[in-house]
Every structure is written in structure tokens, then in C-alpha cells.
Amino acid sequence: QYGHVFRSDAGFDSSYTSAQFGAQFRATQRTGFRATVRFLDEDEDDGGNDLTRWTGILGFNHDVASPFLGLGESWSISGFSRLDSDDYADGREDDVTGIGVSLMTNLNDTTFVTAGVRRFERTSTDPVFDESNTIISLEAGLEF
């Protein structure tokens, strides 16, 4: 992809280039693995801080066709690990690591419920940007 971002608020317009490559392997009919590499280069106009980002993601998914404890028609467990490496033109470098797991059930043909936990940690050459976050989610929805 190539694009240009016009920001109407206080900030810098920027041009970016990004690419994504991935592979998926189905070990069985119910179990799959995936690997993805992403690249982003963002150049801010008029003296902004340029960014180059590399991301690597590994993920898995396993489907269980039968009900669990009598609930739902099918279940799926999935997870991921990822690493983002950000290099800024001002010399700052950030590494963001993330891991997560989720469990989804289809209650019927159209209704699903997903519960998930994700954890992200940022370490930076500038300690003011160091942080860690845990995200716990519960989602219910309809597919049609």
C-alpha cells in the first residue's frame, strides 16, 4: 500500500508505504497456524518524526466441533504472539510484545460469544514511553 494522510487537527501530514506477507498451515482440518510479517514506513511532512515499523505475528486456531459442558454448538480456541519494532527518526526505538488467547462458542447458527485476554508491553529507549496493558474482553454478536 501507498498513501497520504491529511490531518486537519494540529499535526503533520504524512505519506506511508506498507506491506504484509503471511503464510497459513492447516495441520489438521480443525487446527491451523499462521505467520505474518508487516512493514510500515511513515514519513511526516514539514519536520515531523518519521517512523519505520516491523511486525512479526505467530498465531494458532483449534476448532472443537462438539459442545463443551452442554453449552454451544461448537468451540474455537485461538492465540497469538507478536513483536513490533519501531524506529523513529529522532533516535527513539520501541519494542512492543504481545500475547493473547481467546475462546469462542457458537451458541446457534447466528449467535456467538467470545472471551479473550491480551497482554502488551512496550519498552523504549525513552523510559517515559514504557508501559504494559492487559485487556480482558467479552463479546457477544450475531453473524448473518
Side-chain angles (χ1 to χ4, degrees), residues 80-100:
F80 74 91
S81 65
R82 80 182 274 163
L83 172 64
D84 294 284
S85 181
D86 297 344
D87 294 321
Y88 294 88
D90 67 0
R92 188 178 114 210
E93 296 178 7
D94 293 358
D95 288 328
V96 179
T97 56
I99 58 171

Side-chain angles (χ1 to χ4, degrees), residues 4-138:
H4 191 81
V5 178
F6 298 98
R7 293 184 175 94
S8 59
D9 59 344
F12 297 97
D13 291 351
S14 62
S15 297
Y16 67 90
T17 304
S18 67
Q20 177 172 303
F21 303 95
Q24 190 167 354
F25 172 68
R26 295 297 293 181
T28 68
Q29 185 177 3
R30 293 184 178 156
T31 304
F33 300 92
R34 64 188 181 281
T36 306
V37 175
R38 297 178 182 161
F39 169 77
L40 170 68
D41 185 59
E42 184 173 336
D43 297 320
E44 291 189 353
D45 299 341
D46 301 323
N49 194 11
D50 299 343
L51 164 70
T52 300
R53 172 179 293 153
W54 284 95
T55 302
I57 305 169
L58 297 174
F60 77 92
N61 183 290
H62 180 73
D63 296 328
V64 180
S66 60
F68 179 67
L69 299 175
L71 300 172
E73 293 184 354
S74 64
W75 290 79
S76 177
I77 186 167
S78 61
F80 74 91
S81 65
R82 80 182 274 163
L83 172 64
D84 294 284
S85 181
D86 297 344
D87 294 321
Y88 294 88
D90 67 0
R92 188 178 114 210
E93 296 178 7
D94 293 358
D95 288 328
V96 179
T97 56
I99 58 171
V101 65
S102 65
L103 181 64
M104 182 182 92
T105 184
N106 292 306
L107 298 175
N108 54 42
D109 288 344
T110 59
T111 307
F112 69 90
V113 176
T114 303
V117 177
R118 294 172 290 194
R119 173 115 178 123
F120 295 95
E121 292 190 25
R122 176 191 312 265
T123 55
S124 177
T125 54
D126 184 347
V128 76
F129 292 101
D130 289 354
E131 66 178 332
S132 58
N133 296 294
T134 300
I135 302 166
I136 300 171
S137 61
L138 181 62

